[in-house]
CSV table of all heavy atoms in Angstrom, one decimal:
chain,number,residue,atom,x,y,z
A,435,VAL,N,11.6,57.0,67.0
A,435,VAL,CA,11.4,56.5,65.7
A,435,VAL,C,10.9,55.1,65.6
A,435,VAL,O,10.1,54.8,64.7
A,435,VAL,CB,12.8,56.7,64.9
A,435,VAL,CG1,12.7,56.1,63.5
A,435,VAL,CG2,13.2,58.2,64.8
A,436,SER,N,11.4,54.2,66.4
A,436,SER,CA,11.2,52.8,66.3
A,436,SER,C,11.6,52.3,64.9
A,436,SER,O,12.7,52.3,64.6
A,436,SER,CB,9.7,52.5,66.7
A,436,SER,OG,9.5,52.7,68.0
A,437,LYS,N,10.6,51.8,64.1
A,437,LYS,CA,11.0,51.3,62.8
A,437,LYS,C,11.2,52.4,61.8
A,437,LYS,O,10.2,53.1,61.5
A,437,LYS,CB,9.8,50.3,62.4
A,437,LYS,CG,10.1,49.6,61.1
A,437,LYS,CD,9.0,48.6,60.8
A,437,LYS,CE,9.2,47.8,59.5
A,437,LYS,NZ,8.1,46.9,59.2
A,438,VAL,N,12.4,52.6,61.4
A,438,VAL,CA,12.8,53.7,60.6
A,438,VAL,C,11.9,53.8,59.3
A,438,VAL,O,11.5,54.8,58.9
A,438,VAL,CB,14.3,53.7,60.2
A,438,VAL,CG1,14.6,54.8,59.3
A,438,VAL,CG2,15.1,53.9,61.5
A,439,SER,N,11.8,52.6,58.6
A,439,SER,CA,11.1,52.6,57.3
A,439,SER,C,9.7,53.0,57.4
A,439,SER,O,9.1,53.4,56.3
A,439,SER,CB,11.2,51.2,56.7
A,439,SER,OG,10.6,50.2,57.5
A,440,SER,N,9.0,53.0,58.6
A,440,SER,CA,7.6,53.3,58.6
A,440,SER,C,7.4,54.6,59.4
A,440,SER,O,6.3,54.9,59.8
A,440,SER,CB,6.8,52.2,59.2
A,440,SER,OG,7.2,51.9,60.6
A,441,PHE,N,8.5,55.3,59.7
A,441,PHE,CA,8.3,56.6,60.4
A,441,PHE,C,8.0,57.7,59.5
A,441,PHE,O,8.7,58.0,58.6
A,441,PHE,CB,9.6,56.9,61.2
A,441,PHE,CG,9.5,58.2,62.0
A,441,PHE,CD1,9.0,58.1,63.3
A,441,PHE,CD2,10.0,59.4,61.6
A,441,PHE,CE1,8.9,59.2,64.1
A,441,PHE,CE2,9.9,60.5,62.4
A,441,PHE,CZ,9.3,60.4,63.6
A,442,ALA,N,6.8,58.4,59.8
A,442,ALA,CA,6.3,59.5,58.9
A,442,ALA,C,6.5,59.2,57.5
A,442,ALA,O,7.2,59.9,56.7
A,442,ALA,CB,7.0,60.8,59.3
A,443,PRO,N,5.9,58.1,57.0
A,443,PRO,CA,6.3,57.6,55.6
A,443,PRO,C,5.9,58.5,54.5
A,443,PRO,O,6.4,58.4,53.4
A,443,PRO,CB,5.5,56.2,55.5
A,443,PRO,CG,4.4,56.4,56.5
A,443,PRO,CD,4.9,57.2,57.6
A,444,ASN,N,4.9,59.3,54.7
A,444,ASN,CA,4.4,60.2,53.6
A,444,ASN,C,4.8,61.7,53.9
A,444,ASN,O,4.2,62.6,53.3
A,444,ASN,CB,2.9,60.1,53.5
A,444,ASN,CG,2.5,58.6,53.2
A,444,ASN,OD1,3.0,58.0,52.3
A,444,ASN,ND2,1.6,58.1,54.1
A,445,ALA,N,5.8,61.9,54.7
A,445,ALA,CA,6.1,63.3,55.1
A,445,ALA,C,7.4,63.7,54.6
A,445,ALA,O,8.4,62.9,54.6
A,445,ALA,CB,6.0,63.4,56.6
A,446,GLY,N,7.5,65.0,54.4
A,446,GLY,CA,8.8,65.6,54.3
A,446,GLY,C,9.3,65.9,55.7
A,446,GLY,O,8.5,66.2,56.6
A,447,ILE,N,10.6,65.7,55.9
A,447,ILE,CA,11.2,65.9,57.3
A,447,ILE,C,11.9,67.2,57.3
A,447,ILE,O,12.9,67.4,56.5
A,447,ILE,CB,12.1,64.7,57.7
A,447,ILE,CG1,11.4,63.4,57.5
A,447,ILE,CG2,12.6,64.9,59.1
A,447,ILE,CD1,10.3,63.1,58.5
A,448,MET,N,11.5,68.1,58.3
A,448,MET,CA,12.3,69.3,58.5
A,448,MET,C,12.9,69.1,59.9
A,448,MET,O,12.3,68.8,60.9
A,448,MET,CB,11.3,70.5,58.5
A,448,MET,CG,12.0,71.8,58.7
A,448,MET,SD,10.8,73.2,58.7
A,448,MET,CE,10.1,73.1,57.1
A,449,HIS,N,14.3,69.4,59.9
A,449,HIS,CA,15.0,69.2,61.2
A,449,HIS,C,15.7,70.5,61.5
A,449,HIS,O,16.6,70.9,60.8
A,449,HIS,CB,16.0,68.1,61.1
A,449,HIS,CG,16.6,67.6,62.4
A,449,HIS,ND1,17.5,66.6,62.5
A,449,HIS,CD2,16.4,68.1,63.7
A,449,HIS,CE1,17.8,66.4,63.8
A,449,HIS,NE2,17.1,67.3,64.5
A,450,ILE,N,15.3,71.1,62.7
A,450,ILE,CA,15.9,72.3,63.1
A,450,ILE,C,16.7,72.0,64.4
A,450,ILE,O,16.2,71.6,65.4
A,450,ILE,CB,14.8,73.4,63.5
A,450,ILE,CG1,13.9,73.6,62.3
A,450,ILE,CG2,15.4,74.7,63.9
A,450,ILE,CD1,12.6,74.4,62.6
Side-chain angles (χ1 to χ4, degrees):
V435 174
S436 289
K437 188 177 180 180
V438 174
S439 61
S440 62
F441 183 82
N444 303 308
I447 306 291
M448 183 180 300
H449 194 177
I450 305 171

